[in-house]
Amino acid sequence: MSPADYLELRQLGLDGVASHAMNAVSILFAYLLAMYFAGKRLTTFQLVSVTIIYSIFLLFPVLATTGGLLSLVAINTEFLREYSGLAATHRAPEAVATLNVIRIVMLGVFFFAYVLSILFMLSVRRDKHDVPYDT
């Protein structure tokens, strides 16, 4: 591949990673809003069902995000091997190390956000008896 192909692949990979990460954030906030507005009125069965669906649908963009970052590491490594002089000017060596750190940090952040969202749901449910059902 030419250097331009590598650079285009890098940009497409970054765009994909950003898109998947934003999908994960959208799913997270949709769940938080649903729990905030309707969590107290849901039955236990409905709540468990929504939480299972949320957990499954959140998993896919998180895995796609980390997979995209791994692909970017491979692209940058190959670019560095093929065009070492040019790759250095485009920060490929730094990108490999940075992307590995970002991947680990993003996994941690998504896991932490998931745990907090479940804790938020439980806190909303704890106050369930305080809300009238006819509103």
Side-chain angles (χ1 to χ4, degrees), residues 13 20 26 31 37 80 85 91 102 106 135:
H20 295 308
S26 297
Y31 180 77
F37 288 112
L80 185 59
R91 300 183 186 272
I102 289 172
M106 284 191 74
T135 58

Side-chain angles (χ1 to χ4, degrees), residues 11-81:
Q11 188 58 49
L12 288 172
L14 286 171
D15 292 345
V17 166
S19 176
H20 295 308
M22 287 299 100
N23 286 339
V25 169
S26 297
I27 291 168
L28 171 72
F29 279 102
Y31 180 77
L32 291 174
L33 286 171
M35 290 304 107
Y36 181 77
F37 288 112
K40 294 177 184 178
R41 294 185 183 100
L42 295 175
T43 66
T44 302
F45 174 76
Q46 291 169 331
L47 186 74
V48 169
S49 299
V50 167
T51 302
I52 289 171
I53 292 168
Y54 157 68
S55 300
I56 291 168
F57 275 89
L58 184 65
L59 184 64
F60 290 109
V62 169
L63 291 177
T65 300
T66 57
L69 288 168
L70 286 173
S71 295
L72 280 170
V73 167
I75 290 166
N76 279 304
T77 303
E78 189 174 327
F79 182 45
L80 185 59
R81 186 175 49 246

Side-chain angles (χ1 to χ4, degrees), residues 88-104:
T89 62
H90 288 281
R91 300 183 186 272
E94 296 90 353
V96 170
T98 303
L99 289 169
N100 279 319
V101 170
I102 289 172
R103 181 177 55 88
I104 293 167

